[in-house]
Amino acid sequence: MNSTLLVNIFRFILLLAIQIIIFNNMNFLGYISPFPYILFIILYPVNGNKSGLVAASFLLGIIMDLFSNSGGTHATACLVLAYFRPSIFKFAFGLSYEYQTIKLNDVLTPQRFSFILLSVVIHHFTLFLLEAFQLSYILDTLLTTLLSTVFTIIICIIIIYLIKPNKR
Amino acid sequence: MQQIFNFIFKNSNRILFLLLLGISLSLTIQSHSFHRSKIISSANFLSGGVYEKVNNLNEYLNLKTQNDALALENAKLKSLLFNSEDTTAVRKLDSLKGVKLEDIIVSKVIHNSYNVYENYLTLNSGELQGVKTDMGVVNSLGIIGIIENTSPKYATVISILNKRTQINAKIKKSNHFGSLNWNGKSTGFVQLTDLPRLALIKIGDTIVTGGQSVIFPENINIGTIAKIYRDTQTNFYTLDIKLFNDMTNLGHVYIIKSKDRDEITNLEKREKDE
């Protein structure tokens, strides 16, 4: 048992609890709700076990589905985000990201911001697409994705700043 | 054999992803098909229990509006009581004609969603209280939905704000009926489709549940006509109905047991078999 694992388990439970108790009840303008629970997937260590992340994301999503009666939509969206996370890293930080020491919960640079933005967009688009489950709702889906993305990113950045370890 | 193992080890991440993706997608697709027993639903002890705790807290914040609603309902009931001619007459529960008091289960909404296309409520009574699938759920203002899943202590309700809901409804004054669905746009309005063009309607008319439904008794309030769309292609109206209920703010609800339901469905089944 090392501390990274413990931190991740703690983060998993805490983010889920906050999401279910507070953010699921936030319906800004009736239909925009933020999903900051995906911070778990975003903040997962860069060089951590990939299969572990995929399995944990599935568990995270299925618990969200349990609480919001949404079948498997959250699970699918989380899985897609977890699987494509290395590609997003490559896109945002350049090819050699694995050898750099990337710390996401630090000062917001353009690279970090683009990584969070891309992750949130991918997750939300998959989620709302599966939730509507009809191509005739595509415009509504895109609009909800856009608005919810803005909302989620604002809350994610606030949370990152709040839990930033200030060692230096 | 060695190569197969090598392949599996090399692509373990991808295989895990595809496997889990398959599971979650099948759960998603299953949740969008109409008749099914839902595996992932909030009628279980974990989410039901958590929601009950959260709701206990939320109730304190909503006490004022709930009190106002109860006071209003009390005033209405009192006016009925004082104005009734004979208090020994048959007991009635407000406007629910043909429903005896024994057939009503009083319950409480502990979780309510209204921001997606398929909305569900969770109630804090279940099989132990006699709640079964396909019972109607109403409150003092009008209809709310239909019981979908039950566990011993909790039940989920498919809300009228759900793309999959279809409820038989009619114009109160003329008996022309249509079916009630929701287009996913606004929480205050639902749509009545397939209403014949022969019906004389105007904005402000009241819509109630129809007699064809075996789930709801006849003449339970739904809402008033807010907008009329005339389709030139077909002989039917589509109406926007403004709900009497504020679906974003629900407290106590009544679950209606329908005794005739089994009899009617059995009869219709026998009719088809012959």
Side-chain angles (χ1 to χ4, degrees), chain B:
Chain B
M1 203 64 196
Q2 184 105 37
Q3 276 181 337
I4 294 173
F5 279 126
N6 273 341
F7 176 79
I8 290 174
F9 279 128
K10 218 190 246 170
N11 291 309
S12 64
N13 195 27
R14 184 167 300 164
I15 289 167
L16 183 69
F17 168 69
L18 289 176
L19 181 75
L20 294 177
L21 190 72
I23 295 173
S24 58
L25 270 181
S26 63
L27 283 174
T28 310
I29 291 164
Q30 183 225 28
S31 83
H32 284 281
S33 57
F34 197 87
H35 284 292
R36 91 262 179 193
S37 62
K38 212 169 171 186
I39 304 166
I40 305 292
S41 89
S42 68
N44 63 47
F45 86 99
L46 175 72
S47 40
V50 171
Y51 277 143
E52 188 147 28
K53 289 273 185 313
V54 173
N55 189 54
N56 279 342
L57 231 138
N58 273 343
E59 265 185 348
Y60 282 105
L61 306 172
N62 277 332
L63 273 183
K64 198 169 156 24
T65 49
Q66 286 292 333
N67 273 343
D68 289 347
L70 283 176
L72 214 71
E73 201 176 338
N74 264 344
K76 204 170 152 196
L77 291 175
K78 278 215 179 95
S79 77
L80 277 179
L81 183 70
F82 295 148
N83 292 329
S84 57
E85 292 143 20
D86 186 6
T87 44
T88 55
V90 191
R91 280 194 294 177
K92 271 195 284 187
L93 193 90
D94 206 359
S95 65
L96 306 181
K97 274 181 213 137
V99 180
K100 291 198 209 93
L101 215 53
E102 303 91 79
D103 294 338
I104 302 270
I105 305 164
V106 180
S107 183
K108 203 173 71 185
V109 176
I110 56 169
H111 179 249
N112 183 6
S113 82
Y114 43 83
N115 58 340
V116 287
Y117 293 116
E118 296 186 359
N119 292 301
Y120 295 89
L121 312 158
T122 312
L123 306 183
N124 75 338
S125 39
E127 284 150 21
L128 294 179
Q129 281 81 24
V131 180
K132 289 198 194 79
T133 304
D134 281 342
M135 285 180 171
V137 180
V138 301
N139 72 359
S140 56
L141 293 174
I143 63 166
I144 287 167
I146 300 164
I147 299 280
E148 170 112 339
N149 266 304
T150 53
S151 71
K153 277 168 73 186
Y154 303 100
T156 53
V157 179
I158 170 166
S159 157
I160 45 171
L161 300 184
N162 190 315
K163 275 198 315 192
R164 300 194 293 111
T165 322
Q166 290 259 350
I167 294 170
N168 181 265
K170 66 172 191 186
I171 315 281
K172 195 174 188 177
K173 61 178 188 190
S174 76
N175 280 340
H176 284 103
F177 61 85
S179 70
L180 200 72
N181 3 60
W182 189 51
N183 65 0
K185 294 248 158 62
S186 163
T187 54
F189 296 88
V190 291
Q191 280 67 40
L192 186 71
T193 54
D194 297 343
L195 187 76
R197 289 287 286 271
L198 288 167
L200 286 171
I201 47 168
K202 60 175 194 296
I203 287 173
D205 283 355
T206 307
I207 305 292
V208 294
T209 52
Q212 295 206 332
S213 165
V214 284
I215 295 166
F216 291 103
E218 212 172 335
N219 290 325
I220 292 182
N221 285 336
I222 296 172
T224 53
I225 299 177
K227 217 171 184 183
I228 300 170
Y229 302 98
R230 283 185 184 80
D231 192 353
T232 46
Q233 310 277 316
T234 61
N235 282 325
F236 297 107
Y237 282 119
T238 298
L239 310 175
D240 264 1
I241 312 292
K242 187 177 188 334
L243 291 171
F244 289 127
N245 256 326
D246 178 4
M247 291 300 288
T248 61
N249 180 14
L250 297 173
H252 285 88
V253 295
Y254 308 118
I255 303 166
I256 304 171
K257 293 184 205 167
S258 173
K259 273 191 193 147
D260 304 333
R261 186 187 150 73
D262 289 338
E263 203 176 322
I264 293 172
T265 40
N266 276 340
L267 190 67
E268 284 179 351
K269 206 173 142 198
R270 217 167 56 204
E271 201 75 31
K272 263 178 209 159
D273 289 344
E274 278 167 12

Side-chain angles (χ1 to χ4, degrees), chain A residues 8 31 35 48 74-75 85 117 141 147 154 161:
Chain A
N8 270 309
Y31 56 98
F35 296 106
H74 281 282
R85 205 179 81 120
L117 177 74
T141 309
L147 295 173
I154 293 171
Y161 267 85

Side-chain angles (χ1 to χ4, degrees), chain A residues 1-158:
Chain A
M1 292 291 265
N2 49 20
S3 67
T4 337
L5 184 67
L6 280 178
V7 164
N8 270 309
I9 292 171
F10 181 67
R11 211 181 261 156
F12 185 95
I13 296 167
L14 191 72
L15 281 170
L16 257 180
I18 295 176
Q19 177 70 43
I20 288 159
I21 295 169
I22 300 170
F23 291 113
N24 269 4
N25 297 319
M26 254 171 111
N27 292 309
F28 193 59
L29 295 180
Y31 56 98
I32 310 169
S33 38
F35 296 106
Y37 75 102
I38 55 166
L39 263 182
F40 170 77
I41 306 171
I42 293 174
L43 293 180
Y44 192 83
V46 181
N47 298 318
N49 186 350
K50 277 174 193 156
S51 306
L53 176 62
V54 169
S57 305
F58 178 74
L59 199 65
L60 185 76
I62 214 88
I63 295 176
M64 270 301 291
D65 282 327
L66 256 174
F67 278 93
S68 45
N69 274 314
S70 49
T73 47
H74 281 282
T76 318
C78 287
L79 265 181
V80 168
L81 172 59
Y83 186 71
F84 288 109
R85 205 179 81 120
S87 323
I88 309 170
F89 260 129
K90 230 175 253 172
F91 182 83
F93 293 95
L95 270 176
S96 56
Y97 74 93
E98 279 189 58
Y99 309 105
Q100 299 168 7
T101 45
I102 300 170
K103 284 200 77 180
L104 271 166
N105 42 358
D106 210 328
V107 188
L108 201 69
T109 59
Q111 284 100 341
R112 290 198 182 99
F113 183 73
S114 63
F115 173 71
I116 295 174
L117 177 74
L118 263 176
S119 316
V120 173
V121 167
I122 287 175
H123 175 269
H124 281 25
F125 184 66
T126 322
L127 177 68
F128 291 126
L129 198 68
L130 286 174
E131 208 164 74
F133 213 65
Q134 253 176 47
L135 276 180
S136 54
Y137 283 102
I138 190 80
L139 279 177
D140 282 343
T141 309
L142 287 173
L143 184 72
T144 343
T145 309
L146 185 75
L147 295 173
S148 291
T149 303
V150 173
F151 210 11
T152 305
I153 284 183
I154 293 171
I155 285 167
C156 280
I157 290 172
I158 292 173

